């Protein structure tokens, strides 16, 4: 007999490769997997879009294309630890994009909104209300962060045209609140005067001589705070709404 006395080896099962793992792999540059994932989840995308529109959606419709783009956007923006599974997050992003589209097209009747939990064919809730709300909150927060970062970068580039960097600006920012508020007031006077604002934008210089006709402070004060006044003026003129807290009145 050739019976072996060796104990049988237990085969270790490899950890499951989750959908979220695939998302992180795509975010690290696997474009083939991205295309494969988008292709395999077309039924999911079509299902979500159809539910929002309350009608059948096929691949030739604009709504479907928007759903595809939104799914791809969700792949790019999904992050670990945000409080929801990827499909919950993707569902929410697709819904948001479709609703935005329908509003723009003035066809918002019978739209399904996010505060209505979805149910599957068996009447079971697909995702919990709390989980969907967590995904919505996270997405909106990320959108705000992204917008703020983009505006900061644009603002930084604009300041460079005036020879101002953030480092220089931090050093030349008036130390006292009343001095900062005075400089902000000068900036507001400038942006509300079309002639002065155009001078700043075209010449890339502060129209100090002209400003003195509208303000009560001395030329020396304006010159001392010149870069700060320019920086505040450009927040107004550039429409950098995300930087609004920097130009709002301060309290002592």
């Amino acid at each position: 007999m050739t019976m072996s006395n060796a104990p049988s080896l237990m085969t270790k099962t490899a950890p499951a490769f989750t959908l979220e793992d695939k998302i992180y792999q795509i975010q690290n540059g696997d474009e083939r997997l991205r295309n494969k994932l988008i292709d395999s989840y077309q039924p999911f995308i079509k299902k979500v879009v159809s539910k929002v529109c309350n009608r059948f959606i096929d691949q030739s419709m604009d709504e479907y294309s928007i759903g595809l783009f939104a799914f791809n956007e969700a792949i790019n923006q999904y992050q670990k630890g945000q409080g929801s599974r990827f499909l919950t997050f993707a569902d929410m992003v697709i819904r948001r994009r479709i609703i935005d589209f329908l509003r723009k097209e003035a066809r918002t009747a019978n739209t399904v909104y996010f505060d209505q939990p979805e149910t599957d064919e068996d009447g079971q809730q697909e995702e919990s209300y709390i989980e969907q709300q967590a995904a919505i909150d996270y997405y909106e927060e990320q959108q705000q962060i992204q917008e703020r970062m983009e505006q900061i970068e644009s603002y930084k580039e604009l300041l460079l045209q005036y020879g101002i960097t953030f480092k220089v600006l931090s050093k030349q920012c008036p130390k006292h609140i009343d001095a900062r508020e005075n400089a902000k007031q000068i900036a507001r006077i400038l942006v509300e005067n079309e002639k002065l604002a155009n001078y700043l934008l075209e010449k890339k210089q502060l129209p100090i001589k002209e400003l003195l006709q509208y303000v009560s402070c001395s030329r020396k004060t304006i010159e001392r705070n010149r870069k700060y006044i320019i920086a505040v003026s450009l927040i107004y003129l550039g429409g950098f709404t995300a930087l609004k807290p920097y130009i709002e009145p301060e309290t002592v």
Side-chain angles (χ1 to χ4, degrees):
M1 288 179 67
T2 57
M3 183 179 296
S4 173
N5 294 322
S8 61
L9 297 177
M10 296 292 292
T11 303
K12 292 185 177 181
T13 304
F17 193 55
T18 67
L19 175 57
E20 285 70 25
D21 292 330
K22 294 179 181 179
I23 298 302
Y24 304 139
Q25 188 172 332
I26 292 170
Q27 291 174 349
N28 287 328
D30 193 334
E31 291 302 314
R32 290 183 61 185
L33 181 57
R34 179 193 297 271
N35 294 332
K36 183 177 180 181
L37 189 72
I38 292 175
D39 184 65
S40 63
Y41 275 89
Q42 286 186 26
F44 167 81
I45 296 169
K46 191 181 298 184
K47 176 184 176 183
V48 175
V49 174
S50 295
K51 283 184 177 180
V52 176
C53 298
N54 267 352
R55 58 191 174 90
F56 175 76
I57 298 294
D58 64 38
Q59 297 182 359
S60 66
M61 297 180 177
D62 290 340
E63 290 88 340
Y64 177 74
S65 297
I66 292 170
L68 281 177
F69 282 114
F71 188 82
N72 188 58
E73 178 185 353
I75 291 175
N76 292 334
Q77 295 195 3
Y78 184 77
Q79 291 186 24
K80 189 178 297 184
Q82 66 181 50
S84 65
R85 295 190 293 273
F86 171 72
L87 288 183
T88 299
F89 182 67
D91 180 291
M92 183 271 301
V93 175
I94 293 170
R95 288 171 182 271
R96 286 281 170 137
R97 291 292 175 244
I98 295 298
I99 289 173
D100 288 344
F101 172 77
L102 294 178
R103 283 172 176 164
K104 289 178 182 178
E105 296 295 312
R107 300 199 306 267
T108 56
N110 299 321
T111 299
V112 178
Y113 290 93
F114 293 101
D115 56 353
Q116 302 174 358
E118 289 297 321
T119 56
D120 58 23
E121 295 177 353
D122 298 324
Q124 298 297 316
Q125 188 171 318
E126 291 180 346
E127 301 291 349
S128 72
Y129 176 81
I130 293 177
E131 190 174 27
Q132 280 205 356
Q133 287 302 123
I136 293 171
D137 293 342
Y138 176 82
Y139 177 70
E140 291 179 342
E141 179 184 352
Q142 291 302 306
Q143 288 291 92
Q144 292 173 2
I145 292 173
Q146 181 67 23
E147 180 183 2
R148 189 179 304 117
M149 293 302 295
E150 290 175 355
Q151 289 195 17
I152 289 174
E153 190 60 32
S154 297
Y155 180 59
K156 179 181 178 181
E157 293 176 2
L158 182 59
L159 284 177
L160 288 176
Q161 298 178 26
Y162 294 77
I164 303 174
T165 64
F166 283 169
K167 184 176 181 180
V168 169
L169 188 59
S170 65
K171 290 182 178 179
Q172 298 199 3
C173 176
K175 299 297 185 292
H176 300 289
I177 291 179
D178 57 348
R180 288 196 296 273
E181 290 304 309
N182 185 49
K184 291 176 186 177
Q185 181 60 32
I186 294 173
R188 284 190 286 270
I189 291 172
L190 184 148
V191 300
E192 291 170 2
N193 186 304
E194 185 177 355
K195 184 178 179 181
L196 298 180
N198 287 337
Y199 185 101
L200 175 65
L201 295 173
E202 293 172 6
K203 304 290 186 180
K204 301 293 186 291
Q205 294 178 354
L206 197 64
I208 297 178
K209 181 179 179 180
E210 292 79 1
L211 264 174
L212 288 170
Q213 302 174 28
Y214 301 92
V215 300
S216 58
C217 62
S218 66
R219 183 186 187 97
K220 184 177 180 180
T221 298
I222 295 178
E223 290 178 340
R224 183 171 60 246
N225 299 316
R226 178 179 62 85
K227 292 185 177 180
Y228 184 75
I229 294 171
I230 291 175
V232 173
S233 298
L234 292 177
I235 292 178
Y236 284 115
L237 295 172
F240 297 110
T241 55
L243 303 180
K244 187 178 178 181
Y246 296 101
I247 55 179
E248 290 179 339
E250 301 176 62
T251 56
V252 180

